Amino acid sequence: MRGSTIRRVAVRLNGGAVRGSSKALANAMGVPVKTARAWLLDPAEKNHREMSKTAKRLFALLVLLESTGRLDEQLIQAALATEKLLDEAD
């Protein structure tokens, strides 16, 4: 997965702001911020990590939504509300 693609989607998830985009990506992917930051690093960097197969599948869905213009604030808020409801059910 290319870092530029990951960064573009992360910024989109964060409403277009670069600052805080790794946190937005982490929230969307259900991983710690440290993991999301490691994905964003250049592969030559010491702390770089590749996405797992499961993470790549989920990220592919985010890329699809982003490329069709459907990764918008309304979808993000709906996903967060769904996550909250699922957490409350546990």
Side-chain angles (χ1 to χ4, degrees), residues 17-56:
V18 174
R19 185 176 174 92
S21 60
S22 56
K23 185 175 189 303
L25 178 62
N27 289 341
M29 298 289 290
V31 298
V33 175
K34 185 177 180 179
T35 299
R37 286 185 183 137
W39 291 338
L40 291 165
L41 292 174
D42 184 87
E45 299 233 11
K46 176 183 156 191
N47 292 329
H48 173 76
R49 286 183 53 193
E50 289 292 323
M51 286 184 178
S52 67
K53 288 181 181 182
T54 303
K56 285 180 181 179

Side-chain angles (χ1 to χ4, degrees), residues 4 13 16 18 23 31-32 36 41 46 56 59 64 73 82 85:
S4 59
L13 285 167
V18 174
K23 185 175 189 303
V31 298
L41 292 174
K46 176 183 156 191
K56 285 180 181 179
F59 189 74
L64 176 64
E73 188 61 30
T82 301
L85 288 171

